[in-house]
Amino acid sequence: MPLTRLDIPPALKRLLPTTLFGRSLLIIILPVAIMQIAVTWAFFDAHWQSVTAKLSEGLAGDIAWAVQSYEDDPSPAAVEKLAERAEGALSLSIAFQKGRKLPTSHRPSLFAALDRSLDKALEDRLDNPFWFDTTRYRAYIDIRVQVDGGVLQIYALRDRAYATQGHIFILWMVVATLLLTAVAILFIRNQVRAIERLAEAADAFGRGEDPDFKPHGAREVRQAALAFIAMKLRIQRHIEQRTALLASVSHDLRTPLTRLKLEMAMAEPCERMEAMKGDLAEMEHMIDEYLAFARGEGGEAIQVVDLSELVEAVVADAERGGAAIETEITQGLETRLRPLTFRRALANLIDNGVAHADRVRVTVSPRQTGGVDVAVDDDGPGIPEDKYEEAFKPFSRLDESRNQNEKGVGLGLAIARDMARGLGGDLVLSRSALGGLRALIRLPG
């Protein structure tokens, strides 16, 4: 029989915890809480209320006997004898208050249900008006009955009317619930922590780090961790093989290129020779870009650097090449990145702007939500919005808009985006306030 999906109402779903720790705790705590409530309800309904009702009826019977005895002989001697008998046999303290009336106010009790049991029992047994107070004294109940000539005041022990050990049961229930909850929290926290470590290791590996991770937790979590480690090793081997292959290809191609450049340098200068030299220079530049794209981070370690100084150094390099660049740089911003990879990515973005615009502005500012934004704005022709994603594809050249890769092979934006995503950030394109293109590198904090 196929399993059906249980649809939870949206209103209830918003109230449920979103973390695995919260949901696991809810799975354990909710049934325990429901069971405790059910047991406590059954205890009060079937035991405590019943026992209290029986005790209240017994006490009401004794009070009815005392009132009847007084009415049979209200003389002072009889009242004194009645008080002695009640004290010795029934643990009741009886006093006659001549000319008194019953109080008109009543203090509310914390256990109103128990007061109702006593009130019902007294009402069933007594024909006289009565009043009682269960809150004034801790161990006694003050009961007063209107009789001829005054009020008969009776003090009875509280445990004669109520099952006073009920709170002990509740206390044990609460203590047991807290103990079980504490144990559940410790065990669940330990299991969830293993999953959190796996997630942290995966996130760190996604940023190009090599985390020192060991499997922990339950068998299923360890299996997932071992699968992650095996995947990480396969990816690392693939990257190393690709880098080594392209490095060897680059080396093999550079050797004949160097011989050709040497032969051209020794040949007689002519117009065709200059064109061939340009072709060789373009081929060498293309090889460099291919290798840079394939190498990616290239094993460069992530460092904590002063981003403001690093961006200023990249801008200074561009200005030495003849570019005029405006800057708005917030000083003292530090972040974790690969300095050489970041320099190459930012230099590509600045070169694109300089090649196709009159004004280029570099802005470095902190984000309110954490992290740092590095924006390169220009006033050039820009890129249509529907071409933004295509511009990030390797070897893409948007000739019909702005051929930002005219001197290369269409890898500048791809390299920059790989750099940003490798650090846990991103590179996004948008319309610039200067009228051209804005390339925004969002770096994590």
Side-chain angles (χ1 to χ4, degrees):
M1 181 177 178
L3 296 177
T4 58
R5 182 176 180 269
L6 179 62
D7 291 329
I8 301 176
L12 179 60
K13 187 179 294 186
R14 287 193 293 268
L15 298 177
L16 295 178
T18 57
T19 63
L20 177 61
F21 176 76
R23 292 184 177 183
S24 301
L25 194 62
L26 184 64
I27 291 173
I28 294 178
I29 297 302
L30 187 60
V32 172
I34 293 175
M35 182 191 68
Q36 300 284 41
I37 293 172
V39 170
T40 303
W41 178 269
F43 170 77
F44 274 99
D45 186 61
H47 176 70
W48 201 10
Q49 291 281 19
S50 299
V51 172
T52 297
K54 296 296 183 184
L55 291 173
S56 297
E57 289 174 3
L59 177 61
D62 293 342
I63 293 174
W65 168 81
V67 172
Q68 184 63 42
S69 298
Y70 170 81
E71 290 179 343
D72 291 342
D73 186 0
S75 63
V79 172
E80 184 177 351
K81 186 176 182 179
L82 173 62
E84 290 177 358
R85 285 184 177 181
E87 182 72 29
L90 304 176
S91 298
L92 296 177
S93 177
I94 299 177
F96 176 70
Q97 297 179 342
K98 187 176 180 180
R100 293 285 186 89
K101 298 292 183 180
L102 293 178
T104 57
S105 61
H106 185 79
R107 298 172 65 181
S109 172
L110 181 62
F111 299 99
L114 302 182
D115 283 7
R116 286 195 295 268
S117 296
L118 180 58
D119 184 74
K120 183 177 183 303
L122 292 173
E123 188 175 357
D124 292 342
R125 293 301 186 96
L126 294 176
D127 296 329
N128 305 55
F130 64 88
W131 175 92
F132 66 89
D133 185 8
T134 60
T135 62
R136 180 171 300 178
Y137 305 105
R138 183 176 181 181
Y140 294 93
I141 300 175
D142 182 4
I143 303 173
R144 304 181 191 185
V145 182
Q146 189 74 55
V147 295
D148 294 338
V151 171
L152 199 63
Q153 186 173 28
I154 304 170
Y155 289 101
L157 292 173
R158 180 179 291 272
D159 56 9
R160 288 211 56 197
Y162 302 145
T164 57
Q165 298 302 314
H167 64 282
I168 301 298
F169 171 78
I170 297 176
L171 178 63
W172 275 107
M173 292 285 285
V174 172
V175 171
T177 301
L178 293 177
L179 182 61
L180 291 175
T181 301
V183 173
I185 289 175
L186 291 176
F187 277 92
I188 295 175
R189 180 71 263 178
N190 186 47
Q191 297 304 315
V192 172
R193 183 56 187 155
I195 299 176
E196 290 176 345
R197 289 174 180 170
L198 176 58
E200 292 170 358
D203 182 62
F205 181 65
R207 296 194 303 268
E209 301 178 14
D210 188 9
D212 184 14
F213 173 71
K214 295 181 180 180
H216 295 279
R219 182 177 62 184
E220 292 81 0
V221 179
R222 290 199 301 271
Q223 288 176 345
L226 291 173
F228 163 73
I229 292 175
M231 178 194 69
K232 180 172 74 75
L233 293 176
R234 287 194 295 268
I235 292 175
Q236 287 175 333
R237 284 196 300 268
H238 172 71
I239 294 175
E240 291 172 359
Q241 291 171 357
R242 185 186 68 171
T243 304
L245 174 62
L246 287 170
S248 63
V249 170
S250 174
H251 179 270
D252 292 343
L253 289 177
R254 286 180 189 277
T255 301
L257 283 175
T258 302
R259 288 200 300 265
L260 287 173
K261 289 173 66 176
L262 180 60
E263 291 177 3
M264 289 183 180
M266 297 175 63
E268 292 293 333
C270 64
E271 184 177 349
R272 293 182 60 187
M273 190 66 64
E274 293 300 324
M276 294 172 63
K277 288 182 180 180
D279 290 340
L280 284 177
E282 185 177 353
M283 289 176 61
E284 190 173 15
H285 181 72
M286 291 170 64
I287 291 173
D288 291 337
E289 285 204 5
Y290 288 147
L291 186 60
F293 177 72
R295 186 170 57 240
E297 289 85 14
E300 183 184 2
I302 295 179
Q303 306 174 28
V304 177
V305 300
D306 189 323
L307 184 62
S308 307
E309 294 182 358
L310 185 59
V311 172
E312 288 175 347
V314 176
V315 171
D317 290 341
E319 289 177 338
R320 280 195 294 270
I325 301 172
E326 305 171 13
T327 59
E328 294 180 8
I329 301 176
T330 302
Q331 299 297 322
L333 296 178
E334 292 187 348
T335 188
R336 290 167 50 84
L337 49 75
R338 297 176 178 84
L340 295 180
T341 306
F342 177 80
R343 288 176 67 103
R344 182 168 64 248
L346 183 58
N348 280 337
L349 297 179
I350 293 176
D351 289 344
N352 285 339
V354 170
H356 302 93
D358 297 327
R359 292 180 59 193
V360 177
R361 183 170 62 201
V362 177
T363 305
V364 180
S365 59
R367 287 198 305 273
Q368 293 182 350
T369 56
V372 183
D373 288 341
V374 180
V376 179
D377 295 276
D378 63 54
D379 63 349
I383 297 176
E385 291 187 10
D386 58 347
K387 299 286 187 179
Y388 284 167
E389 197 60 33
E390 183 181 347
F392 287 113
K393 295 179 180 179
F395 315 114
S396 173
R397 301 177 61 135
L398 306 178
D399 295 329
E400 61 187 56
S401 172
R402 54 175 272 176
N403 189 1
Q404 78 275 18
N405 294 308
E406 185 178 357
K407 296 181 180 180
V409 292
L411 292 174
L413 289 175
I415 292 174
R417 186 184 232 184
D418 283 349
M419 178 278 302
R421 289 184 171 179
L423 296 171
D426 202 356
L427 171 63
V428 294
L429 301 180
S430 62
R431 192 70 179 173
S432 171
L434 299 181
L437 182 70
R438 158 171 278 210
L440 178 63
I441 302 176
R442 304 178 67 87
L443 297 174

